[in-house]
Amino acid sequence: MKIHNFNAGPSILPKQVIERSAQSVISFNKSGLSVLEISHRSKYFTEIMEQTTELVKRIMNLNDDYSILFLQGGATLQFTMVPYNLMNQKSAYLDTGIWANNALKEAKKFGEVNILFSGKKNDYTYISENYKIPNEVDYFHCTSNNTIVGTQMKKFPKTSIPIVCDMSSDIFSRKLNFGQFSLIYASAQKNISSAGMTIVIVKKEILGKVKRNIPSYLDYMIHIKNDRILNTPNVFSIYTSMLTLEWIEKKGGLSILEKENEYKAQLLYDEIDKNNLFENKIHKKDRSNMNVTFFLKKKNLEKEFNKMWEKEKIVGLNGHRTLGGYRASIYNALSLESVRFLIHIMKEFEKKFS
Ligand SMILES: *Cc1c(COP(=O)(O)O)cnc(C)c1O
């Protein structure tokens, strides 16, 4: 029986990627070794790094003004590294969810944080587009997709202030002008690869402008000066990222994925809106195409609904522990077939209990 994996992260990856990365654990190309056994200084790994970097740049259409880093510590460490490297005295943040809020809490340890919009009092169900970025801040930070509540930024501001964006849960899911960002970070376990690696895409010109003394691992510039291999990186996760990026390119790139993702999300939102038993609480324009959240209108049906989807081998549908309800994470690798199957179960449930 097929498992339909709606996990929020770590989450579903393309089947071919899993198979090839599993195979390379046994035997990596012609090395005679496992990918877990190759040196991070070997020509094998140097090639993986180069190839992965080129794929990121090609798929996102980025030029050599950008450096691509593969770091550890998750997106969570980026909450610290960003202000450490970029903030002299002031920054500006959008508070659009729990992750955004965690990011700005770290920034407050380094100086003054202007919160340009907070969705907190509306339970983060919408994202304002009416905010003004002050001229004197060092950077503006936003979260492109709010994984927990299920909102997504559809518009980014036009500004000469460097834009920093946490794209952990929607990187490589849609076509954007990535050149508008000065720094993008994303932990790998949502849409790219295994946990334990974070992609950081940084425009070199924004670095070297703060006066503080930065610990080596936390200094983007030191990573760049050490050919992006300052210490032993997560070789396996970087290799698996390369496979996912090849899969993306082979599919036809981000515009194709964007169309597929929009279609999957629209089908599911349509069902939630039509179905008598469910509701989505997000303002329509801000609904995420990656994490679709929904709630039962009658809470006493919870046990019955859970029993139904669990029996059908749907996994990962529970909402975030802070929020309850349900969340279908429908990342790049999740098939249209799985979305249709979930919709079918929701319809069956409605027939039975409405
Ligand atoms: C998952 C997630 C994080 C946290 O990532 P870690 O790798 O666990 O540190 C941060 N931001 C967003 C938007 C996320 O979805």
Side-chain angles (χ1 to χ4, degrees):
M1 200 166 164
K2 186 184 160 79
I3 297 179
H4 300 276
N5 181 3
F6 291 91
N7 274 324
S11 41
I12 189 166
L13 289 170
K15 192 158 172 279
Q16 303 94 303
V17 170
I18 300 282
E19 281 168 1
R20 277 191 63 197
S21 82
Q23 182 52 44
S24 70
V25 170
I26 309 284
S27 169
F28 177 68
N29 289 354
K30 294 194 178 70
S31 69
L33 302 172
S34 162
V35 72
L36 305 178
E37 297 175 315
I38 59 173
S39 163
H40 63 293
R41 304 282 174 199
S42 65
K43 73 171 193 317
Y44 299 115
F45 185 67
T46 314
E47 272 172 28
I48 293 171
M49 275 282 282
E50 285 313 310
Q51 181 75 1
T52 313
T53 305
E54 284 314 305
L55 280 158
V56 170
K57 285 190 172 173
R58 219 158 51 224
I59 289 169
M60 296 179 112
N61 200 11
L62 293 171
N63 61 25
D64 292 333
D65 295 345
Y66 290 85
S67 193
I68 319 290
L69 307 176
F70 305 97
L71 305 182
Q72 303 191 42
T76 301
L77 186 59
Q78 295 311 306
F79 298 164
T80 301
M81 279 178 74
V82 164
Y84 225 139
N85 283 265
L86 303 182
M87 183 166 162
N88 269 313
Q89 269 154 2
K90 289 181 185 176
S91 61
Y93 277 67
L94 291 188
D95 178 16
T96 53
I98 290 172
W99 293 122
N101 198 267
N102 286 349
L104 70 88
K105 272 187 212 145
E106 289 304 308
K108 281 181 179 168
K109 297 173 185 171
F110 295 87
E112 187 184 323
V113 175
N114 293 257
I115 300 172
L116 305 184
F117 162 75
S118 176
K120 206 168 193 169
K121 54 185 179 304
N122 297 303
D123 301 322
Y124 294 121
T125 51
Y126 89 104
I127 301 174
S128 170
E129 282 162 16
N130 296 317
Y131 51 85
K132 208 181 156 298
I133 301 172
N135 286 323
E136 72 283 4
V137 297
D138 296 316
Y139 64 90
F140 162 76
H141 180 283
C142 57
T143 311
S144 55
N145 185 73
N146 300 282
T147 326
I148 294 173
V149 74
T151 60
Q152 187 173 33
M153 288 178 79
K154 310 288 164 154
K155 276 196 194 141
F156 296 89
K158 291 212 170 14
T159 174
S160 55
I161 305 286
I163 303 181
V164 175
C165 189
D166 177 357
M167 289 195 190
S168 289
S169 51
D170 71 347
I171 194 167
F172 303 126
S173 73
R174 58 177 167 168
K175 197 165 174 139
L176 290 174
N177 167 19
F178 294 100
Q180 71 189 302
F181 303 99
S182 294
L183 192 150
I184 294 167
Y185 61 92
S187 44
Q189 72 274 17
K190 310 276 165 62
N191 220 357
I192 313 172
S193 180
S194 57
M197 191 274 281
T198 307
I199 293 188
V200 175
I201 298 160
V202 56
K203 206 170 193 175
K204 284 167 269 186
E205 66 178 33
I206 66 167
L207 300 176
K209 295 186 176 168
V210 293
K211 289 172 203 85
R212 70 177 64 85
N213 198 355
I214 307 173
S216 303
Y217 191 87
L218 305 187
D219 189 335
Y220 296 121
M221 194 90 98
I222 291 190
H223 286 278
I224 294 170
K225 282 187 180 149
N226 283 277
D227 294 328
R228 304 179 295 131
I229 310 188
L230 175 65
N231 70 328
T232 319
N234 188 330
V235 170
F236 181 69
S237 187
I238 297 169
Y239 174 68
T240 306
S241 304
M242 184 188 84
L243 299 179
T244 302
L245 292 165
E246 285 173 353
W247 174 84
I248 290 173
E249 198 163 63
K250 224 166 139 194
K251 265 185 95 74
L254 299 185
S255 43
I256 302 285
L257 278 168
E258 173 171 334
K259 279 203 193 90
E260 288 186 7
N261 288 329
E262 266 176 10
Y263 185 66
K264 288 186 297 187
Q266 198 53 53
L267 284 182
L268 194 47
Y269 284 119
D270 283 349
E271 175 58 27
I272 295 166
D273 292 343
K274 270 194 310 223
N275 194 304
N276 288 321
L277 300 180
F278 297 104
E279 61 180 333
N280 166 275
K281 298 181 177 175
I282 306 302
H283 282 230
K284 284 203 170 138
K285 73 167 181 59
D286 300 320
R287 285 172 162 184
S288 168
N289 288 339
M290 291 281 102
N291 309 96
V292 177
T293 53
F294 53 100
F295 293 84
L296 278 165
K297 287 183 188 163
K298 294 186 203 137
K299 248 195 144 273
N300 59 344
L301 289 176
E302 203 170 274
K303 268 206 182 101
E304 297 298 337
F305 184 55
N306 292 350
K307 222 164 55 193
M308 193 156 171
W309 59 265
E310 280 165 5
K311 194 176 99 232
E312 297 292 343
K313 292 271 188 283
I314 288 176
V315 300
L317 203 61
N318 283 116
H320 189 263
R321 60 193 152 77
T322 56
L323 205 65
Y326 299 95
R327 169 174 55 175
S329 296
I330 53 173
Y331 298 122
N332 284 346
L334 185 97
S335 66
L336 180 58
E337 181 203 345
S338 286
V339 171
R340 290 213 159 109
F341 187 72
L342 173 60
I343 291 171
H344 162 73
I345 295 298
M346 293 166 82
K347 282 189 200 299
E348 289 295 302
F349 187 68
E350 186 188 32
K351 264 189 230 157
K352 215 166 152 187
F353 291 97
S354 178

